[in-house]
Amino acid sequence: MARPPDKTARAELLLAASEEFAAHGVEGTTIQAITVRAGRSKGAFYLHFDSKDTAFRALVESVFDGLASFLGDVVPTPKLGWGLAEVRAHWLATDVRAFEYVWRHRDVFRLVLSGGMCERFAFLTDAFALAASESIARWLRYGVAQGFYRADLDVEIASMMIGGAYDGLARELVGRKRKPRLTQWLAQFQGVFVGGLGAQVRPRRQDANGATTTPVPRVARRNRGVASRR
Amino acid sequence: MARPPDKTARAELLLAASEEFAAHGVEGTTIQAITVRAGRSKGAFYLHFDSKDTAFRALVESVFDGLASFLGDVVPTPKLGWGLAEVRAHWLATDVRAFEYVWRHRDVFRLVLSGGMCERFAFLTDAFALAASESIARWLRYGVAQGFYRADLDVEIASMMIGGAYDGLARELVGRKRKPRLTQWLAQFQGVFVGGLGAQVRPRRQDANGATTTPVPRVARRNRGVASRR
DNA sequence: CCGGTTATTGACCGCGCAGTCAAGAATGGC
DNA sequence: GCCATTCTTGACTGCGCGGTCAATAACCGG
């Protein structure tokens, strides 16, 4: 008995919200704009969400859930026994699938990665960031144990760097107008990390500056700052 | 004749604005809050700035001007004739100085790098991003020409990666509570880029996936996403 | 076709902020 | 001390937005 709820309302509102967020940012979007775009009333919005923040949170959570599914499908243990070739092929494939996913949902990721996000939403991404960072560290340790990587690698710093580089890659990706060749991108990316920029065999040598370091910089530019958009 | 203007007002307001922005984000900061913190009246604010955006822009521009001064103090040309050692030492030193600067102004950089910034302020960072990216590419090409780097390096992709990694490093830095050992950080950072993660001499070999690539991935985790905070 | 139930609507309210401006304070010249 | 000039103030205004709720529409079983 009684009128049944319109099951499509929530999904339509969420879609409209994501479009408005993408166009004007979270802060710059009014609830009115969302409801107009969805062709719904303001009341309908409050029927499904407590506030704009709730809607945004729902949006980000659903997208991150999808992304997290790419993490941890294989956990490296000593028993795994994968050679460099298998590991390489498997993870390149996984990377490509993950980045395809990011590209598909680039409107939402753009919000998360470049502005729009208030400090108050950081917890949404932190869980993923932590899981990703740990996954990187696990594989680095596995590689060291298997002899793939140099024994003096500072796993802490290296995983931070690699995580940051993926982060930067994602930022670059979501800023693009056209989809780049992801497989080529990622292969280059991984090639640089594994093989370095160096031309040839460099003798390992103790660095003057400190700590564990090996060879050292050079390319490292002072550049810093924000990676180029577009 | 007549009352002279208070020269300190503008600086005081800008300082107060940066503190409020840091605490509540740009959107979350009210002009009232800025003026209260500065111990000035609302009218005083409008005497010096057209709007909140103008103040934010002034703040970011001044900080980026300082950062840009680290770029391009030496331009690599074939005549330069620097060996790997000189280049390395010079740029590590420059990186350290630049990151010290970022640390000193981390409140502002945090706003620029992680949220708070609306799309509408992107142009503020784009000029720097472009300059930095070009600087990286120049040095990469120099390194290839001098034989430091492998000849088949895709400068386009590599400079994007490196820029992104610096970006990530800066993001990580501004999220820290305590200042890390920057010299060690940057030496590791550059070490990984130049030498790679690989354990030993790997024979150069043609990759199956495509293009110019050399060895290939492995560590590359699917991780992606947001680098860990804190 | 009717009455009971639930979904949906959009005009309305109040708050809080950006921006204004007339009144008043500070200063310098005389 | 007094006037002319410029700086400084903060109460005030209008507006736009988030959030509410009484009225209405849609639906169901009988």
Side-chain angles (χ1 to χ4, degrees):
Chain A
M1 65 194 43
R3 179 181 181 179
D6 186 344
K7 292 300 190 179
T8 68
R10 189 187 149 94
E12 284 176 15
L13 283 165
L14 217 46
L15 179 65
S18 79
E19 291 168 348
E20 285 293 326
F21 288 158
H24 307 112
V26 177
E27 303 280 353
T29 295
T30 67
I31 291 180
Q32 177 127 8
I34 296 172
T35 56
V36 167
R37 181 183 281 259
R40 300 280 168 159
S41 71
K42 199 186 255 191
F45 182 89
Y46 284 99
L47 206 61
H48 293 283
F49 307 100
D50 288 344
S51 66
K52 191 167 59 170
D53 279 9
T54 309
F56 180 64
R57 183 177 161 160
L59 197 62
V60 173
E61 276 177 345
S62 78
V63 172
F64 266 80
D65 281 354
L67 188 63
S69 72
F70 292 104
L71 276 177
D73 51 351
V74 176
V75 176
T77 62
K79 302 171 181 290
L80 186 63
W82 274 7
L84 181 57
E86 286 112 325
V87 172
R88 211 202 268 163
H90 176 260
W91 288 128
L92 180 59
T94 307
D95 274 6
V96 169
R97 280 189 298 131
F99 273 76
E100 296 274 0
Y101 180 86
V102 171
W103 174 255
R104 255 190 330 274
H105 297 90
R106 59 191 178 280
D107 282 348
V108 176
F109 281 107
R110 194 180 304 118
L111 287 169
V112 175
L113 292 172
S114 9
M117 286 271 295
C118 214
E119 195 60 34
R120 125 189 72 119
F121 294 124
F123 71 96
L124 288 174
T125 59
D126 279 354
F128 179 81
L130 191 63
S133 183
E134 281 172 358
S135 179
I136 295 174
R138 261 197 307 277
W139 282 96
L140 285 179
R141 276 189 286 269
Y142 177 80
V144 171
Q146 297 288 313
F148 297 158
Y149 302 143
R150 46 190 166 94
D152 64 347
L153 193 70
D154 183 326
V155 172
E156 194 74 14
I157 294 184
S159 62
M160 186 188 83
M161 277 183 56
I162 295 168
Y166 270 98
D167 202 76
L169 218 53
R171 269 173 228 278
E172 173 71 25
L173 181 61
V174 301
R176 296 258 174 163
K177 286 275 186 290
R178 300 170 58 84
K179 184 179 166 193
R181 290 289 306 113
L182 288 177
T183 302
Q184 184 181 341
W185 259 35
L186 291 164
Q188 270 277 335
F189 181 86
Q190 298 168 343
V192 170
F193 266 119
V194 175
L197 301 165
Q200 283 299 350
V201 183
R202 278 149 294 88
R204 184 69 50 78
R205 100 179 98 129
Q206 193 56 21
D207 181 53
N209 289 308
T212 37
T213 324
T214 20
V216 178
R218 205 275 68 224
V219 56
R221 201 54 2 56
R222 57 311 205 35
N223 87 306
R224 215 232 93 268
V226 184
S228 95
R229 318 272 187 227
R230 161 55 3 69
Chain B
M1 71 214 7
R3 180 180 181 182
D6 186 343
K7 293 299 191 179
T8 68
R10 189 188 150 95
E12 285 176 15
L13 283 164
L14 218 45
L15 178 65
S18 78
E19 291 167 351
E20 285 293 326
F21 289 157
H24 307 112
V26 177
E27 303 280 352
T29 295
T30 66
I31 290 179
Q32 178 127 13
I34 295 172
T35 57
V36 167
R37 180 183 282 259
R40 299 280 168 158
S41 70
K42 199 185 258 191
F45 182 89
Y46 284 100
L47 206 62
H48 294 283
F49 307 101
D50 288 345
S51 65
K52 191 167 58 172
D53 280 10
T54 309
F56 180 63
R57 183 177 161 161
L59 197 62
V60 173
E61 276 177 343
S62 78
V63 172
F64 267 79
D65 281 353
L67 187 64
S69 71
F70 292 103
L71 277 177
D73 51 351
V74 177
V75 176
T77 63
K79 302 171 181 289
L80 186 61
W82 275 8
L84 181 56
E86 286 111 325
V87 172
R88 211 203 265 163
H90 175 259
W91 289 127
L92 180 59
T94 307
D95 275 4
V96 170
R97 279 189 299 132
F99 273 76
E100 296 274 0
Y101 181 85
V102 171
W103 174 256
R104 255 191 330 274
H105 297 90
R106 58 191 179 279
D107 282 348
V108 175
F109 281 107
R110 194 181 303 117
L111 287 169
V112 175
L113 293 172
S114 11
M117 287 271 297
C118 215
E119 195 59 34
R120 126 189 71 122
F121 294 124
F123 72 96
L124 289 174
T125 60
D126 279 354
F128 179 81
L130 191 63
S133 182
E134 281 172 358
S135 178
I136 295 174
R138 261 196 308 276
W139 282 96
L140 285 179
R141 276 189 288 268
Y142 178 79
V144 171
Q146 298 289 313
F148 298 157
Y149 302 142
R150 45 191 167 93
D152 63 348
L153 192 71
D154 184 325
V155 172
E156 195 73 13
I157 294 183
S159 62
M160 186 187 82
M161 276 183 56
I162 294 168
Y166 272 98
D167 202 75
L169 218 53
R171 270 173 227 278
E172 173 70 24
L173 181 61
V174 301
R176 296 260 173 161
K177 286 274 186 289
R178 300 170 58 82
K179 183 178 165 194
R181 289 288 305 114
L182 288 177
T183 302
Q184 183 180 343
W185 258 34
L186 291 164
Q188 270 278 333
F189 181 87
Q190 298 168 344
V192 169
F193 266 118
V194 175
L197 300 166
Q200 283 301 351
V201 182
R202 279 149 293 88
R204 184 68 51 75
R205 103 178 95 129
Q206 193 55 21
D207 180 52
N209 289 309
T212 38
T213 324
T214 22
V216 178
R218 205 273 71 224
V219 56
R221 201 55 3 54
R222 58 309 205 39
N223 87 307
R224 211 231 96 267
V226 184
S228 95
R229 317 277 187 222
R230 164 55 8 66

